[in-house]
Amino acid sequence: MDAQFKKGVLELCVLSQLKEQDRYGYELTERISKELSVTAGTLYLILKRLKDSGYVETYLMESTGGPARKYYHLTEQGENYRKNQKQEWLAFVEKAGKLI
Amino acid sequence: MTKQEYIDALNVQLRDYPADFRSDILDAFEGHFQEGLNAGKTEDEIIEDLGSVRDVAENIRMMHGSPEHTPAEESYRNFRNNLNELKSTLKDTIRSMTDVMTQTVNTATDIVADLTERTDSVRNEETGIITGAKTIRILTHKAVLDTLIEPGDELKYEFVSKPGLFSKILSVLTVRQDQDEVSFNVSEGHAYLHLSVPQEVAEINFDISGGGIEIQELSLNRILGKTASADIRLDRMRTGIITVRTSSGDIRVRESSFSQLEAETASGDIILKMTEGNALLKCSSGDIAVDRHLGEELTVSSASGDLEIDPVSVPVINMKTASGDIELHSTDYPSRIELSSASGDIDCTLESRDYTAEISTISGDIDLESDIFVNKMSAHRVTAGDGTGRVSIHSVSGDISLS
């Protein structure tokens, strides 16, 4: 259960990061694992899951002096889902905060 | 482990998953290696970033199901279920904590009852009648004193001290009269003082430590008092000036009128209910709540406590807090209303439609309800109706809502 719960939160972090702007995998995983103790591997699996659900989509873009990068983009459906999850998270934190 | 060994091992773990799923994952991991190497990391460092193949494999099974069925939806449902499960676990925990507390209280009550029975014979009692007093003074030193002051035909006192649960010491009462002033001095211990007070008495002063003081249904010119932890309760009073201060006690004033009330507490709460008069309320960490109040001027401030005023009819209101929330509902014409907070949210409801409001915040959100009858609106100025009332609302990081 703990692991599942963490995944849900990480998912929200990933979606929120993508709301700001499209990012490629390495950039995204570095940003998140800098703040949270989570492996890049886990984040790629979360990205895969979000993609399968239609919440993010990917496209390739040439990078300067390297191979093409796969960028992740938040879809409209993903944005709706993100808003929803964020509300749920905030409500949860507020309630838990009263108990802790 | 090298990059190739890692990828191969991952590939083995993915062998039973559909080909497009497998290539998606492997692409992402290979891309990560590439970026990492370009950024100057070693293969070992990158592998550490990615996590062990075993962990990754475990995560894949958890998030994407076993190879036979890979229902992503199921994982989302799981997340929601787990959240609900966590909620209900927390609820259960609180319920059982409440049970334990109830049991503890019951046990304590039994002990007290038992103790009372055994020690009932050991007590210090004193009663008496005083004549000609206009001022009453109650003083304690370290005592836990419960005081009740009520109207009566003559000034009569009843004093009882019994050993408390934590103290075996019996308090002693010393009554001293000096012309029209009478003082009740209670020494260390646990005691109860009941005073009946006639109309001639115009002033009550007190300085007590623990316990509580309750004054009811009297007409007085002046109340001046302070306590350490004792609660102060004024009920159905008509008073001129009231000045009360406590450190950790609560101050409650109910169904009373006064010309001026100054109440101050450090960590206690201040609660006014159905009151009339000008009030200045101040606390550090306690909350302040005012419910149905009438007056000319109301000043309320706190450091971290919440301020809730709902609803009042007062034209001049000043509310100020550092980190508490402010909630104001006024039914009167807002002659001058000033609300300010640093990090707390401000929620202001004005029934009057004639005012000009200056609103500013550094980083909070401003929310104007659509039912405001706005004539003019510039960046931070809202003019409603004839615009004659003055309202100013300021916060640093708290959100502001005006309706």
Side-chain angles (χ1 to χ4, degrees):
Chain A
M1 171 178 123
D2 285 350
Q4 281 289 2
F5 183 72
K6 190 177 164 193
K7 294 288 179 310
V9 177
L10 288 174
E11 208 176 71
L12 179 54
C13 295
V14 168
L15 292 170
S16 303
Q17 286 299 312
L18 291 177
K19 183 191 159 54
E20 290 173 26
Q21 62 179 82
D22 295 358
R23 296 182 195 282
Y24 59 97
Y26 188 79
E27 179 193 15
L28 184 67
T29 57
E30 287 280 296
R31 278 182 83 92
I32 294 178
S33 52
K34 204 173 70 191
E35 301 294 337
L36 302 169
S37 85
V38 55
T39 60
T42 303
L43 292 169
Y44 283 117
L45 297 177
I46 286 171
L47 281 165
K48 171 66 178 151
R49 188 163 79 167
L50 291 170
K51 188 185 166 191
D52 288 346
S53 311
Y55 296 146
V56 302
E57 54 197 18
T58 57
Y59 59 91
L60 285 173
M61 201 162 79
E62 295 299 324
S63 69
T64 45
R69 282 170 173 158
K70 191 193 254 185
Y71 276 82
Y72 293 87
H73 170 77
L74 188 63
T75 65
E76 200 183 314
Q77 198 190 346
E79 168 59 9
N80 288 337
Y81 178 71
R82 185 197 66 82
K83 273 191 207 146
N84 225 314
Q85 293 298 94
K86 189 178 174 187
Q87 283 304 319
E88 224 165 90
W89 167 252
L90 291 178
F92 171 74
V93 168
E94 195 198 344
K95 281 182 187 146
K98 285 179 189 162
L99 302 173
I100 291 167
Chain B
M1 195 183 236
T2 65
K3 170 191 168 186
Q4 200 51 51
E5 286 167 357
Y6 185 92
I7 295 289
D8 289 346
L10 186 60
N11 206 356
V12 169
Q13 291 296 331
L14 290 166
R15 65 183 175 267
D16 291 326
Y17 288 85
D20 56 338
F21 179 83
R22 200 167 63 197
S23 66
D24 243 353
I25 301 278
L26 288 173
D27 276 358
F29 279 65
E30 262 166 344
H32 194 88
F33 267 110
Q34 200 54 53
E35 294 283 355
L37 291 169
N38 288 347
K41 290 192 180 182
T42 66
E43 292 190 348
D44 277 340
E45 285 171 331
I46 299 168
I47 289 171
E48 198 178 313
D49 287 350
L50 284 167
S52 73
V53 173
R54 185 204 273 185
D55 284 350
V56 172
E58 202 174 289
N59 273 327
I60 292 173
R61 266 185 291 281
M62 193 171 76
M63 278 193 259
H64 298 272
S66 298
E68 305 83 62
H69 50 94
T70 57
E73 287 300 319
E74 193 183 322
S75 304
Y76 292 106
R77 241 178 282 127
N78 280 343
F79 171 58
R80 292 187 64 111
N81 287 344
N82 286 324
L83 201 64
N84 286 335
E85 200 180 297
L86 185 62
K87 278 184 197 162
S88 77
T89 311
L90 282 170
K91 246 186 225 163
D92 287 349
T93 311
I94 289 167
R95 210 169 288 138
S96 48
M97 274 168 66
T98 314
D99 287 348
V100 170
M101 280 162 70
T102 313
Q103 266 173 22
T104 312
V105 171
N106 286 343
T107 314
T109 312
D110 289 348
I111 293 172
V112 173
D114 186 43
L115 206 82
T116 312
E117 207 173 297
R118 275 192 284 129
T119 57
D120 217 26
S121 50
V122 191
R123 55 157 75 196
N124 190 359
E125 273 183 328
E126 203 179 324
T127 57
I129 290 171
I130 310 269
T131 49
K134 290 202 173 81
T135 299
I136 293 174
R137 209 178 277 280
I138 301 164
L139 304 164
T140 74
H141 179 63
K142 287 196 205 165
V144 176
L145 178 70
D146 284 305
T147 308
L148 175 65
I149 305 179
E150 287 179 311
D153 297 331
E154 48 191 356
L155 179 47
K156 193 168 118 190
Y157 65 89
E158 291 169 287
F159 173 82
V160 181
S161 177
K162 289 189 282 187
L165 186 54
F166 304 107
S167 162
K168 298 273 174 277
I169 304 168
L170 286 178
S171 304
V172 179
L173 173 71
T174 316
V175 184
R176 196 172 295 135
Q177 189 170 7
D178 181 9
Q179 294 175 354
D180 60 1
E181 187 178 302
V182 60
S183 67
F184 298 89
N185 217 310
V186 178
S187 72
E188 191 174 351
H190 194 287
Y192 174 77
L193 178 66
H194 182 196
L195 295 180
S196 301
V197 169
Q199 282 173 358
E200 304 92 77
V201 172
E203 185 169 340
I204 293 179
N205 296 340
F206 56 85
D207 183 349
I208 58 184
S209 39
I213 179 159
E214 187 171 344
I215 310 179
Q216 285 181 0
E217 292 176 60
L218 292 180
S219 215
L220 299 169
N221 292 339
R222 183 98 173 92
I223 296 176
L224 173 65
K226 72 172 192 218
T227 82
S229 66
D231 294 335
I232 300 171
R233 188 188 282 257
L234 305 176
D235 215 343
R236 284 158 288 161
M237 299 283 294
R238 295 172 62 85
T239 320
I241 299 173
I242 304 174
T243 312
V244 281
R245 228 167 56 217
T246 88
S247 295
S248 62
D250 294 337
I251 299 174
R252 286 164 196 270
V253 184
R254 224 186 59 169
E255 290 175 52
S256 297
S257 66
F258 38 79
S259 60
Q260 176 81 20
L261 164 68
E262 277 180 41
E264 189 178 340
T265 152
S267 63
D269 296 334
I270 300 178
I271 298 167
L272 264 60
K273 195 168 181 180
M274 299 170 79
T275 45
E276 190 178 343
N278 293 336
L280 201 155
L281 315 175
K282 199 166 160 187
C283 67
S284 301
S285 62
D287 297 333
I288 298 181
V290 179
D291 179 11
R292 278 163 290 170
H293 176 79
L294 239 135
E296 289 301 311
E297 231 173 287
L298 182 58
T299 304
V300 181
S301 69
S302 82
S304 63
D306 293 337
L307 311 178
E308 189 183 337
I309 298 196
D310 181 28
V312 293
S313 180
V314 182
V316 180
I317 299 175
N318 188 319
M319 295 170 81
K320 204 176 200 169
T321 166
S323 63
D325 292 337
I326 292 183
E327 201 180 317
L328 169 68
H329 177 179
S330 174
T331 56
D332 204 352
Y333 167 72
S335 158
R336 201 175 77 239
I337 292 184
E338 286 167 25
L339 311 178
S340 84
S341 95
S343 62
D345 294 339
I346 302 179
D347 187 346
C348 174
T349 304
L350 301 174
E351 286 187 13
S352 162
R353 290 177 178 273
D354 298 319
Y355 58 83
T356 300
E358 303 267 359
I359 302 172
S360 78
T361 170
I362 294 178
S363 62
D365 293 335
I366 297 179
D367 178 21
L368 296 175
E369 297 278 326
S370 54
D371 62 352
I372 299 186
F373 182 66
V374 175
N375 280 347
K376 258 195 309 201
M377 187 170 155
S378 59
H380 292 305
R381 180 192 282 262
V382 176
T383 308
D386 66 12
T388 51
R390 284 281 169 269
V391 178
S392 93
I393 306 178
H394 300 289
S395 86
V396 178
S397 63
D399 295 339
I400 295 176
S401 132
L402 175 66
S403 58

